[in-house]
Amino acid sequence: CGTGLGMMIAANKVPGIRAVAANDTISARMAREHNNANVLTMGSRMIGPVRMQQIVDTWLRTPFAGERHQPRLDKIEAIDQRYHSEKRRT
């Protein structure tokens, strides 16, 4: 994927996925730390292999901070449950 955006959009259609496109280490860290994102996408036209490795390393090292960020995840999960539950009923 050239930008990582198409992969992110597609991945986010799957229940339980919180995918982000990160083209720098700050975005990768914040996505994990604050949003507990569980899928990382990157654009091959946006960054080179050395930078990609730094982003992946940051992504894998960063834990979810929890606490004040958990209510946001609970809201996201409620949206996910609501819309995926409705699709199953029809």
Side-chain angles (χ1 to χ4, degrees), residues 77-88:
E77 178 62 25
I79 292 167
D80 196 33
Q81 291 295 316
R82 177 180 175 201
Y83 287 99
H84 287 98
S85 297
E86 288 176 5
K87 287 182 183 177
R88 281 188 223 117

Side-chain angles (χ1 to χ4, degrees), residues 4-76:
L5 298 174
M7 291 186 296
M8 177 190 68
I9 291 168
N12 280 321
K13 298 295 182 183
V14 177
I17 296 299
R18 290 177 306 281
V20 296
N23 293 321
D24 57 69
T25 56
I26 294 169
S27 297
R29 181 176 59 82
M30 298 299 276
R32 290 282 285 179
E33 199 171 272
H34 291 193
N35 296 299
N36 202 19
N38 55 15
V39 172
L40 172 66
T41 68
M42 293 180 281
S44 64
R45 284 185 246 146
M46 310 301 285
I47 50 179
V50 172
R51 190 65 165 155
M52 280 187 179
Q53 187 64 57
Q54 293 169 337
I55 293 167
V56 169
D57 290 345
T58 298
W59 170 265
L60 293 173
R61 271 196 322 263
T62 304
F64 175 51
E67 299 176 17
R68 69 182 179 98
H69 305 291
Q70 188 60 52
R72 178 185 322 122
L73 285 180
D74 295 341
K75 290 176 185 177
I76 292 169

